[in-house]
Amino acid sequence: MTTTIELTLLGTAGGPGGHLHRAGIASLVTVGGRRILVDAGVAVVQQLAHAGCAVGDVDTVLLTHLHDDHTAGLPALMTFRHTMRGRPLTVIGPPGTAALRDGILAYLRTNTAIRGREGSLPDPATLLAAREVEPGVVMADAAVTVTAVENTHYALTSFDGAHRSYALRFDSGGRSIVFTGDTGESPAVTRLAAGADILVSEMVTEADAAAVPAPVRAHMRAEHLSPTQVGRMAAAARVRTVVLSHYTDAGPDDLAAIAREFSGEIIAGEDLMRL
């Protein structure tokens, strides 16, 4: 029996702050009866509910990197899961993930002290585990294999290994889904995406770069992908479909710029889209 793998775009907005029509960046991969969350941006709990997934149904969280727009929804997910007596949750991510776990546990202390009076609550430390991983296979079972490579989101800043940013590839039953994560141009990500059915790619336009404070513009242009770069990566990797996520807007000119480089299917991702 072939395992099916399904992608739900929970939130497609990138960057800090709220967005009127998009939730923060988060995706749900459903495979072999497991529900795996990729990143956990703002409003992830609400978006899971819209997708028909309770907070306790999430099996594992994979973080591409630890920028706040990718992690801000994780404390809410964990505290509600704890209050509802959910099962243990494992968060897998780059170096720094364990410190993030410790911060979430500190956040939970006050709520635990109050709600614990209403009835016994388990020690939250027993319900949240963190596993820091290096590039390579980061998860594997009979249903799915997940592989990570380091991308170029931190190309302008050297953290001496203290912080890293990953792209992720899911392989299951002959189908593959790749998440670029936040990245600039990256041969490693192109190789990871080779032959993928779906490439979930971030995108930053010139309008996006112009809208941020001047000190951030170099980061926006060097450590994110332009529409043309998205198209070139997709073409070089020979993927079947590009799905845009972690973007502000995809106007006709942006989609045309991708299409000039890439002849496959291009989808401007929207919240709660299933693929």
Side-chain angles (χ1 to χ4, degrees):
M1 180 176 175
T2 301
T3 302
T4 60
I5 182 169
E6 181 181 76
L7 169 65
T8 304
L9 303 177
L10 297 176
T12 54
H19 299 263
L20 187 60
H21 300 296
R22 296 181 191 275
I25 186 70
S27 299
L28 186 69
V29 177
T30 304
V31 57
R34 302 178 64 180
R35 286 168 169 164
I36 303 167
L37 188 62
V38 179
D39 290 326
V42 172
V44 68
V45 169
Q46 181 179 8
Q47 295 302 96
L48 283 168
H50 282 304
C53 179
V55 292
D57 291 341
V58 175
D59 177 85
T60 304
V61 179
L62 287 167
L63 299 175
T64 59
H65 65 297
L66 304 184
H67 270 151
D68 52 1
D69 56 321
H70 292 249
T71 64
L74 193 54
L77 175 68
M78 188 56 210
T79 192
F80 297 147
R81 189 182 179 103
H82 181 228
T83 297
M84 298 301 291
R85 278 73 169 175
R87 57 197 171 93
L89 181 69
T90 299
V91 179
I92 300 172
T97 300
L100 177 65
R101 170 195 180 265
D102 292 344
I104 293 172
L105 292 178
Y107 167 76
L108 291 178
R109 286 182 191 138
T110 299
N111 183 67
T112 301
I114 296 169
R115 289 197 180 275
R117 302 277 179 157
E118 304 165 2
S120 61
L121 274 175
D123 179 354
T126 66
L127 295 182
L128 182 60
R131 183 157 65 87
E132 296 184 356
V133 294
E134 297 293 317
V137 175
V138 298
M139 178 190 296
D141 60 22
V144 64
T145 299
V146 184
T147 306
V149 300
E150 187 167 8
N151 60 33
T152 61
H153 191 46
Y154 298 149
L156 300 180
T157 306
S158 174
F159 290 113
D160 295 325
H163 299 286
R164 305 175 80 168
S165 178
Y166 295 157
L168 301 171
R169 177 175 178 132
F170 287 71
D171 285 290
S172 177
R175 191 167 185 240
S176 51
I177 301 171
V178 175
F179 297 85
T180 65
D182 287 11
T183 186
E185 288 188 293
S186 170
V189 178
T190 302
R191 290 192 294 272
L192 183 74
D197 294 283
I198 296 175
L199 176 64
V200 183
S201 181
E202 67 123 80
M203 183 180 73
V204 165
T205 66
E206 277 301 310
D208 294 330
V212 302
V216 186
R217 289 173 192 160
H219 158 74
M220 294 286 278
R221 292 188 172 107
E223 299 179 333
H224 288 280
L225 293 169
S226 70
T228 296
Q229 290 168 335
V230 171
R232 288 175 181 166
M233 176 178 287
R238 301 191 180 201
V239 304
R240 291 186 180 180
T241 301
V242 166
V243 178
L244 298 175
S245 188
H246 196 283
Y247 71 105
T248 302
D249 187 36
D253 291 345
D254 302 315
L255 297 177
I258 298 172
R260 281 194 291 271
E261 307 292 335
F262 173 64
S263 60
E265 183 180 22
I266 303 166
I267 298 174
E270 298 293 341
D271 288 10
L272 302 177
M273 182 179 284
R274 293 178 189 256
L275 299 157

